[in-house]
Amino acid sequence: MSEILALLLVVLIAAMVVMVPVWFVAVSRYFSFLSANHPGLYRQMGEPSLFANNTPSNNTSFLRYVCGSDYIASGDDQLVSKSRFLKRFFYSYLVIFVAVIIGVAGVGNS
């Protein structure tokens, strides 16, 4: 049984490794989209970027917006679609991360 759990952990960790660059590309495109199409919202978030202006407050503002539902009121179908994708992606990564932590603890105790 522990071999199956170990194999599952390897698969989940591999998924996380693949998901990180996908997240960076998606977020970078999201920031570019906001900058070009919703400059007020982009300024309100603190004009975040992946590296240059990557502060905890900008990250919190961005995640609060994406994980919330305020984007639905924008009326911009593209913004809604991009925001929903990031929200689902973020929660999927979070679930995988928690599963890996629990799995590592489980393998370590067996």
Side-chain angles (χ1 to χ4, degrees), residues 8-102:
L8 180 60
L9 282 173
V10 168
V11 170
L12 291 176
I13 291 169
M16 290 174 64
V17 168
V18 170
M19 289 175 81
V20 168
V22 171
W23 172 259
F24 284 148
V25 169
V27 169
S28 178
R29 289 181 179 171
Y30 188 79
F31 290 157
S32 295
F33 176 80
L34 285 179
S35 176
N37 298 296
H38 297 277
L41 175 60
Y42 185 65
R43 276 191 300 278
Q44 183 181 359
M45 282 185 192
E47 298 182 350
S49 69
L50 282 182
F51 301 107
N53 193 15
N54 188 354
T55 65
S57 66
N58 287 354
N59 290 333
T60 302
S61 176
F62 160 68
L63 284 175
R64 187 175 291 138
Y65 184 78
V66 168
C67 292
S69 59
D70 291 345
Y71 53 82
I72 296 171
S74 71
D76 183 342
D77 291 338
Q78 218 174 353
L79 177 63
V80 170
S81 175
K82 290 175 183 295
S83 298
R84 283 187 176 153
F85 171 79
L86 288 175
K87 183 178 189 175
R88 290 178 184 137
F89 196 90
F90 176 74
Y91 285 133
S92 298
Y93 188 89
L94 194 60
V95 166
I96 292 170
F97 180 77
V98 170
V100 166
I101 297 299
I102 291 169

